[in-house]
Each structure stands twice: as C-alpha cells, then as structure tokens.
Amino acid sequence: MTASLHRRVILILLALTLVTWVVSVVLTAALARQMLLRQIERQLIQSMDMAHQSVALVVSEPEFNRRDWKSQRILSSGPGFARVSGFGTQGREQALNLWFGQSQVLVGEEAPQYPDPEREGFITWQQNEENNTSSWRVLYRRDSERDIWLAIGVDLDNASSVGAQTLI
C-alpha cells in the first residue's frame, strides 16, 4: 500500500510539473506576441509621422498637380487605384496607401491594396492572394487639412519572423 501511495504522489507531482511547464510556455508566447505587436505599432506610428510629413510636402508642391509629373511615377493602375514607385521595401514588408477623395494610390511595386478607411487607428487585415494569406497590421490617419487618408502597414508574418530572429 505504501508503494502504491508513493507511485500516486510521484505521478501527481509529474503531472503538476508538466501542467506548470505548459501553462508557462503558453503565457510566455502570448506575452511575447503582445510585446512584439506593441513594438510594431510604435514603429508604425513613427513611419506614419514621417510619411504624413513627406506627403504634406509633396502635395503642397506646385508641380504635384502637373499631369506629366504624375504619369512618370505611375507603375500600373486599375479601377479606383494607381500604383506608384515607392521607397526601399517596395511594399513587400511595409507599405503605404493614400486616398485622394475616391482615388487610392499604392506606394511601392508590391504594395497591397488596403481596405478603404472607415476610422483612424489600427486594424489587422488579412490579405488573400493566390493560395497565400498574410496578416497585416495597418494604421490609418486622416489629414483633414488636405482631405487625404493615409494608411501604413506591416506584414505581421514577416515582422514576427524578424522579431524572433532578433531575440535569438
């Protein structure tokens, strides 16, 4: 009877140890994801501030409204949107969209077409294309002075893998 009791105590302690490890792993993963998301949002706010200032400068230039200036920068267009050459990443990891009234401008060769803005702030958006789904964290901001909406976003899958690599 003592051996049976001894075996039960050992099994209970092993089970509790296993449960404790599983719970700690789940909590650590959840907290790490929250920290990464907060960092991504801080970086998006900084990128938005820079993009907002840059767009304000470009839009205020007298040459901005010249048709030939615009046509030189358009890479492609579709119903209601135009894709223009952009900066560094070309829209693979981080991308900018602008709305001038009903016209949407995608900045970058591979910038995704974000949903039309409904309100300022963050959203998580699923991009579905050719057997591939990616999650994007997108920040929307309205420039009421110039009647422009700006949206800047980052591919969360790419950001998570880069974030995990920096932790190693």
Side-chain angles (χ1 to χ4, degrees):
M1 185 152 153
T2 306
S4 176
L5 182 60
H6 185 66
R7 189 175 309 137
R8 284 185 196 164
V9 169
I10 290 175
L11 287 175
I12 290 171
L13 288 175
L14 285 174
L16 288 174
T17 303
L18 180 64
V19 168
T20 302
W21 275 96
V22 168
V23 168
S24 66
V25 166
V26 169
L27 287 175
T28 301
L31 290 174
R33 180 145 176 88
Q34 280 183 335
M35 287 175 55
L36 181 61
L37 191 59
R38 281 197 301 265
Q39 179 64 26
I40 288 169
E41 288 177 351
R42 281 194 296 272
Q43 289 176 343
L44 281 175
I45 290 170
Q46 290 174 348
S47 296
M48 175 63 83
D49 291 341
M50 289 188 297
H52 193 175
Q53 290 175 357
S54 299
V55 167
L57 287 172
V58 169
V59 170
S60 65
E61 286 291 318
E63 288 190 16
F64 176 73
N65 289 316
R66 283 189 23 220
R67 185 175 296 269
D68 62 327
W69 183 89
K70 289 180 183 177
S71 64
Q72 291 173 3
R73 284 155 178 75
I74 293 178
L75 299 172
S76 63
S77 61
F81 80 92
R83 185 179 305 278
V84 298
S85 56
F87 47 83
T89 64
Q90 299 303 314
R92 286 183 212 99
E93 295 87 17
Q94 185 176 11
L96 175 67
N97 283 196
L98 306 167
W99 285 263
F100 299 93
Q102 298 300 315
S103 299
Q104 185 175 4
V105 177
L106 316 178
V107 181
E109 293 173 17
E110 297 183 29
Q113 186 174 2
Y114 298 139
D116 291 341
E118 296 176 5
R119 61 176 176 76
E120 289 187 314
F122 289 100
I123 67 162
T124 301
W125 171 67
Q126 299 293 320
Q127 179 189 26
N128 301 312
E129 62 175 22
E130 299 178 21
N131 303 329
N132 187 20
T133 301
S134 57
S135 295
W136 287 73
R137 190 68 173 163
V138 183
L139 173 61
Y140 287 93
R141 184 182 290 171
R142 185 171 191 285
D143 182 340
S144 55
E145 182 180 325
R146 294 169 190 81
D147 194 28
I148 300 171
W149 276 94
L150 297 93
I152 193 160
V154 66
D155 182 347
L156 288 176
D157 298 331
N158 182 57
S160 295
S161 66
V162 170
Q165 289 173 359
T166 59
L167 293 175
I168 295 174

